[in-house]
Amino acid sequence: MSEKLQKVLARAGKGSRREMETVISAGRITVNGKVAYLGDRVEGNEQIKIDGHSVSLQSKEDELCRVLMYNKPEGEMCTRKDPEGRPTVFDRLPKLESGRWIAVGRLDINTSGMLLFTTDGELANRLMHPSQKVEREYAVRVFGEVTEAMLQTLRAGVKLEDGPARFQKITYRGGEGRNHWFHVVLSEGRNREVRRLWESQDVQVSRLIRVRYGDMELKRQLPSGGWTELNLQDVNYYRKLVKLPLETQSKVKVDEKAMDNAKSRRIRRSVKKHQHRSQQATRRRRS
């Protein structure tokens, strides 16, 4: 049975389905020596190349869906390589024998917290797509006076330059002076949407942390800059959430312990070693 080319490439870990559509439209993909076009379908036995490089295809049955939870620190870019040499969220991820890690959405350089990565482009695409209405929750520290009328406006919706937007839920979490913490919930991931919504009410976001994606929260003991691979149950939670077939296998051992203090300390030491090596490399480039 044939499938759309972008879907096959996404499953092979070459990017999200949306990213692959862009690559196809740019004429960068060939199928059996001919330039591919959007709408093309493949059986899976064709010779497919991206920018002249052969793509190793995997069948639905052979591909193992893996998902990482990453605690992104402020200052990291959500890109594979930064022309200015700044650290990226991909720098510390485990190496893969085939395919690549795909980020489920983005967090801007000044936003920290929960970021998901997966080897399954179709899963990434569905988790990001607005039609799935997957909730994202953020802890936000805002600077400025916040009134109940402003909160009602943010719940009802405001018009941004790329269309109407609103918070589905806003919960006050305390504060003092002109600094106040709120938890807000969205079901889409438009560029800087949380910040722009608050700025529409003339208050500034001074801290922004993603704490939940779907019903799964950022693991409290996961250090900033650390990652952990989700077990089969958690992977299947996300697959079921977006109506994908469930996995039967996982790279995570069934008897592997959940996040505990000892594992958290090991991750923290690994993060510090990576940061030290990165600082040394930066100093060498500058000298």
Side-chain angles (χ1 to χ4, degrees):
M1 182 181 295
S2 65
E3 294 181 280
K4 287 187 177 179
L5 177 58
Q6 61 266 32
K7 188 174 182 179
V8 171
L9 291 169
R11 189 169 65 242
K14 297 304 176 183
S16 70
R17 196 166 61 185
R18 194 176 304 173
E19 288 171 335
M20 290 300 95
E21 289 172 354
T22 302
V23 175
I24 294 170
S25 298
R28 294 168 53 194
I29 296 180
T30 60
V31 177
N32 292 334
K34 296 181 180 180
V35 176
Y37 295 93
L38 270 182
D40 285 357
R41 303 178 73 88
V42 294
E43 300 283 346
N45 54 3
E46 296 86 350
Q47 185 183 50
I48 300 176
K49 293 185 178 182
I50 300 178
D51 297 329
H53 300 286
S54 295
V55 176
S56 177
L57 298 181
Q58 292 176 300
S59 69
K60 295 178 184 178
E61 292 76 21
D62 293 337
E63 177 66 11
L64 182 65
C65 175
R66 298 173 64 184
V67 181
L68 302 181
M69 179 186 294
Y70 181 67
N71 188 355
K72 177 190 176 296
E74 292 181 11
E76 287 189 351
M77 303 289 293
C78 279
T79 184
R80 294 185 187 276
K81 290 185 180 179
D82 180 64
E84 298 179 28
R86 291 171 293 187
T88 83
V89 295
F90 290 92
D91 290 345
R92 285 199 60 254
L93 301 188
K95 304 298 182 185
L96 291 169
E97 293 179 5
S98 63
R100 64 176 185 169
W101 294 113
I102 303 164
V104 179
R106 292 170 175 261
L107 295 176
D108 67 47
I109 190 169
N110 295 317
T111 300
S112 61
M114 183 176 175
L115 186 61
L116 296 174
F117 294 88
T118 180
T119 55
D120 187 334
E122 182 64 19
L123 176 62
N125 182 71
R126 293 196 188 190
L127 285 172
M128 290 186 282
H129 204 280
S131 65
Q132 298 292 332
K133 299 187 183 302
V134 179
E135 288 189 350
R136 293 90 153 156
E137 183 174 344
Y138 297 82
V140 191
R141 186 178 68 191
V142 298
F143 178 76
E145 183 182 358
V146 180
T147 66
E148 183 57 35
M150 291 161 60
L151 297 180
Q152 290 295 342
T153 298
L154 290 171
R155 292 187 185 101
V158 299
K159 190 172 183 179
L160 303 177
E161 58 268 28
D162 54 354
R166 70 181 186 92
F167 291 129
Q168 292 172 254
K169 188 176 180 181
I170 307 174
T171 307
Y172 182 59
R173 290 299 180 93
E176 55 184 29
R178 292 173 64 80
N179 284 296
H180 298 274
W181 282 95
F182 294 87
H183 274 221
V184 299
V185 176
L186 291 167
S187 59
E188 58 182 4
R190 285 147 63 182
N191 184 41
R192 298 185 71 256
E193 188 171 3
V194 175
R195 295 181 188 275
R196 290 187 293 141
L197 275 165
W198 284 105
E199 288 166 2
S200 74
Q201 304 303 301
D202 295 321
V203 294
Q204 295 296 316
V205 172
S206 57
R207 191 87 188 274
L208 183 58
I209 308 165
R210 185 191 280 163
V211 297
R212 177 168 65 87
Y213 205 104
D215 287 341
M216 196 174 299
E217 297 181 351
L218 178 66
K219 298 182 186 297
R220 291 182 178 275
Q221 291 177 304
L222 184 62
S224 177
W227 59 266
T228 186
E229 184 157 358
L230 300 188
N231 60 30
L232 182 61
Q233 180 180 344
D234 290 341
V235 168
N236 279 336
Y237 159 71
Y238 280 121
R239 295 185 68 82
K240 184 177 181 180
L241 183 66
V242 294
K243 302 176 179 63
L244 283 174
L246 302 187
E247 287 286 319
T248 58
Q249 296 180 341
S250 170
K251 288 280 188 180
V252 180
K253 296 178 182 177
V254 175
D255 59 351
E256 185 169 320
K257 290 183 178 179
M259 185 70 63
D260 58 14
N261 289 332
K263 186 174 182 179
S264 180
R265 285 194 296 270
R266 289 196 299 272
I267 295 173
R268 191 172 286 109
R269 284 196 297 268
S270 178
V271 171
K272 286 183 178 179
K273 286 181 181 178
H274 171 76
Q275 290 172 340
H276 180 66
R277 288 195 297 268
S278 297
Q279 289 167 357
Q280 287 181 321
T282 300
R283 284 196 290 269
R284 284 196 296 269
R285 283 197 303 269
R286 289 175 177 173
S287 61

